[in-house]
Amino acid sequence: MRICLVSEYFYPDNTGGTGTVLSQLLNHFSNHYPDIEIDVITSRNLYRGDEELLPVQEMWNGIRILRVGTPKAPPYPLRKRLMVNTRFSIAALRKLLGNFRKYDLVIVSTAPPPLPLAAKVFKNLTGTPYIYLIYDLYPDIALALNVIGPSKATRLIQKLQKGWMQGAAKTVVLGRCMKDYLTQNYQLSPDKIAAIPVGSDAKKIVPQDKNSRFRAHYDLQGFVVLWAGNFGQHQNFDAIIDSAKLLTDNPHQITFVFVGDGAQKDYIAARIIKEEITNARLLPFVSEEDFSDMLASADVSLVSLESGAEGLGVPSKFYNILASGRPTVALVAPTSEVACVLEEENCGVRVEQGNALQLAEAISHLANSPELLQRMGANARRACEERYSIEHIAHQFYEVFLAAQRDRPTQSRDVDSLPVSETG
């Protein structure tokens, strides 16, 4: 089976976003599924940093990577970002058509949001089915977070989204809450949707002693509460920072550690300095080699999802926390996928979104309950090994690939006959 992934970011991206997740997944396929041949069409840019452009073509562990040279999309304004995203999607489609390689299946993600248009056009021209991976659903998530308001443009994009989902052999979402959202809001048949979590590489991220190199390097003492990831523009960090203030004088010496980068980094830093929050630290990203060690430094790790965003995304870092064998304290709605897993596996605590007092009480209780902390951490690791390891996730994707092949029409056009030259 020859498949082609189309995604704006891919290896060597290692910042924890879509590119990293898909790189890990396809690398696993390359190592363990000899019947699958993989091409990737991606950007010459990295998600973070201003490094030199990546090579136009590269072989990585048996995966053929083809890169297109388009500008890097700015975070704002949204209109300009959408224009650059569309330019990449068109370039990716031209690369698909000019590649002169026949594919059995195309995989396309919501990074960037217009990208499934390329997969659908390619299907219409060649008959090649596609799998649509929805990591963050736009414009719905932007509407839910009040980034934009309803308009003719958003209604048009939602109409296009529905067409992209209907055209896919299968739409893959990250959790049950997202599957319910698509059936209710896009009238997509449940049998057209597969809920497959991001998962984690349980061989790379393993439980370790909390007295880690990371703790020693930054002289972290006491009970460590870790937030690791993107400081997104539309995430609410106030409840977490307010909780740190409430726990300043806790006898367990509770320290909140923020590790990452993003739009709200300066805001978090300003609050810590201005309000003299002595038990909060803001630290930079760590390397991929040190990631497991950093997660091990925590006594508990934090996950949050803004109110209204349930059904529109699932924080991927949650599964790395499971792999690290640490409990999760999650500021999420009770219907979210994270809340469901916490209840099913007894591997953490859910608190109401935006409730700093409840968050502080939950953390204080865990700091005062070492046996409960240990039990929840063990449950987290077991859940990862039994349900959320990359081996389990890859097998679920493989079943989706096979089903797409079984359902493929017997006749399709030959891409070699299409008069499009390779560009990009």
Side-chain angles (χ1 to χ4, degrees), residues 15 73 184 191 206 222 281 305 334 351 354 389-390 424:
T15 57
Q184 294 168 11
D191 61 5
V206 296
R281 301 279 301 276
L305 192 65
V351 301
S389 71
I390 195 168

Side-chain angles (χ1 to χ4, degrees), residues 204-220:
K204 284 188 176 180
I205 300 177
V206 296
Q208 300 177 47
D209 191 288
K210 74 176 185 178
N211 296 315
S212 62
R213 299 187 306 275
F214 184 83
R215 271 200 182 228
H217 181 73
Y218 289 107
D219 192 27
L220 300 176

